[in-house]
Amino acid sequence: MKENQKIKLGISIGDINGIGCEVALKTFEDPRMLDFCTPIIFASNKTVSQQKSDLGIEMTFNGVRDASQAVEGKINIVNVWKEVPKIEFGQATQEGGTYAIKSLRAAVSALKDGSIDVLVTAPINKNNIQSDDFKFPGHTDYLAQELNGESLMFMVADTLRVGLLTDHIAVKDVAQAITPSLVRHKIATMEKSLKMDFGIRKPKIALLGINPHSGDNGTIGEEDDKILKPVIKELFNKGTLVYGPYSADSFFGSDNHKNFDAILAAYHDQGLIPFKTLSFGKGVNYTAGLDKVRTSPDHGTAYEIAGKGQADNSSFKEAVFMAIEVFKNRTEYMELSKNPLKKQKTKRAS
């Protein structure tokens, strides 16, 4: 990127019957947002125009055939499809899922070839996206296949950062899925992201226990003693500041989370229930560990309010700002890593 060039921020539109388009348009309805990035929405002029009209949103946009043609200072729409899909707000239709994936595939393709710098994904419905050629439980799993690196689902709100050892799997499968190798890899991915993406030089990580009370010394399951504790000791001895396992039931209520740069939860609800309670609707879902930057709001399609103009775009706006911040942090980190002399000069100058 040239020094003064704005970051090209791609947006996949999500389920056309949900609130994805609404929160994206509301975010860039404020013209000041164009000072931070060049937004590029992957959908079609007609679809966005229809949503804009239905929701009573006043704005202009620039239609392009390809993301490389995007114009700074404007909201750009890449015309991924020419037909006019039927919009049925609040309904989980097959058509809604089909166009969500068309948008996502086009956006990820642009991300891979460098036509956009970062990607913000609007919410999809995990049921109606399924098809013969798309069998993923969500964005994270698809991105992990398409991009390089080892993915980590990372929920972020200011200094509260919660990652997951396991994400979209059934609770009955959690204990079996957690292995020493998985724990090592997830902690390494989290530590690297904290350094590279968030600028934390020596991050402190807390690991939550798998069982209630972290197993109570084997009384309530042996996984914490046999899997988590040995790995924590091993990594700590090698210089990684990882602590635990902590009993999940009291960890957040006691404000212990404020003593750490990030928390690694054993499974989805163990991490996301306290995160969403504490983030007050402004949390961001960040896919760490990949070679490209992707963020998303921490909510779903919200069919119950879709098409009513009631959607709060706070989380989507935070996802935009985080994508920009992470991209800049990562670019600076890579530059300093390539040129250690520059790093030394910077330190001396300061």
Side-chain angles (χ1 to χ4, degrees):
M1 279 186 67
K2 296 177 182 176
E3 193 170 339
N4 296 324
Q5 186 178 354
K6 288 188 175 67
I7 289 171
K8 289 187 174 182
L9 185 134
I11 299 169
S12 61
I13 206 66
D15 192 317
I16 58 174
N17 298 322
I19 64 168
C21 192
E22 179 180 350
V23 294
L25 294 180
K26 280 182 173 178
T27 295
F28 289 99
E29 193 175 19
D30 182 349
R32 293 173 298 180
M33 291 297 294
L34 299 178
D35 294 336
F36 300 103
C37 65
T38 301
I40 305 168
I41 301 174
F42 290 81
S44 78
N45 290 347
K46 292 178 180 178
T47 297
V48 174
S49 291
Q50 184 179 343
Q51 292 254 357
K52 192 179 70 162
S53 175
D54 290 341
L55 295 164
I57 295 174
E58 294 293 330
M59 65 190 332
T60 58
F61 55 79
N62 178 52
V64 295
R65 290 193 302 273
D66 186 86
S68 62
Q69 300 172 330
V71 178
E72 281 193 13
K74 293 183 181 294
I75 301 162
N76 298 271
I77 311 293
V78 174
N79 283 286
V80 181
W81 55 82
K82 295 180 180 179
E83 65 274 17
V84 183
K86 185 179 181 182
I87 295 176
E88 300 178 71
F89 286 121
Q91 302 300 312
T93 66
Q94 190 62 48
E95 194 169 29
T98 297
Y99 284 92
I101 297 309
K102 282 187 178 184
S103 174
L104 178 62
R105 287 190 189 279
V108 171
S109 177
L111 186 65
K112 289 165 71 173
D113 69 22
S115 299
I116 58 174
D117 300 307
V118 298
L119 173 63
V120 179
T121 58
I124 56 177
N125 180 313
K126 291 178 176 59
N127 293 318
N128 68 5
I129 59 169
Q130 304 302 319
S131 65
D132 291 339
D133 63 346
F134 194 95
K135 296 180 180 178
F136 300 92
H139 285 114
T140 304
D141 306 85
Y142 175 67
L143 292 166
Q145 173 188 281
E146 293 296 310
L147 304 174
N148 297 318
E150 295 191 26
S151 67
L152 170 72
M153 188 173 176
F154 213 173
M155 308 300 294
V156 183
D158 295 324
T159 58
L160 175 62
R161 306 177 188 93
V162 179
L164 302 179
L165 272 176
T166 62
D167 38 61
H168 295 122
I169 67 172
V171 174
K172 66 181 178 63
D173 299 325
V174 167
Q176 189 175 357
I178 296 175
T179 63
S181 176
L182 177 71
V183 178
R184 288 189 197 97
H185 280 103
K186 293 293 185 181
I187 291 174
T189 300
M190 177 176 275
E191 183 184 34
K192 183 178 179 181
S193 177
L194 290 167
K195 291 178 178 178
M196 182 170 67
D197 301 332
F198 298 94
I200 301 170
R201 236 177 120 189
K202 196 66 178 173
K204 289 176 64 180
I205 298 169
L207 184 58
L208 300 184
I210 300 170
N211 296 299
H213 308 295
S214 298
D216 260 347
N217 296 315
T219 306
I220 317 173
E222 299 180 333
E223 290 85 0
D224 296 276
D225 288 341
K226 291 188 175 181
I227 299 173
L228 299 188
K229 288 181 181 178
V231 174
I232 290 170
K233 184 178 180 180
E234 170 197 325
L235 294 178
F236 190 88
N237 289 339
K238 290 180 179 179
T240 300
L241 300 183
V242 56
Y243 303 85
Y246 292 98
S247 180
D249 64 341
S250 59
F251 184 80
F252 292 92
S254 63
D255 282 346
N256 199 8
H257 63 281
K258 294 180 180 178
N259 298 319
F260 299 92
D261 298 301
I263 300 98
L264 189 58
Y267 56 93
H268 187 278
D269 284 11
Q270 185 191 66
L272 265 66
I273 289 174
F275 175 83
K276 290 191 176 185
T277 301
L278 294 170
S279 63
F280 307 108
K282 293 188 178 181
V284 176
N285 181 355
Y286 170 49
T287 305
L290 300 178
D291 62 339
K292 302 289 185 179
V293 177
R294 172 262 174 169
T295 63
S296 179
D298 71 349
H299 56 72
T301 55
Y303 286 140
E304 66 277 7
I305 59 169
K308 298 177 181 178
Q310 299 174 2
D312 184 347
N313 66 308
S314 299
S315 182
F316 192 91
K317 183 181 283 189
E318 291 297 324
V320 168
F321 283 133
M322 180 173 293
I324 295 168
E325 180 184 6
V326 168
F327 182 83
K328 288 180 177 178
N329 287 345
R330 187 177 285 194
T331 301
E332 183 180 4
Y333 180 90
M334 295 296 190
E335 185 62 32
L336 293 175
S337 298
K338 281 193 301 185
N339 191 348
L341 290 177
K342 184 175 180 181
K343 189 173 184 179
Q344 288 177 5
K345 288 177 183 177
T346 302
K347 283 183 178 178
R348 286 173 188 163
S350 60

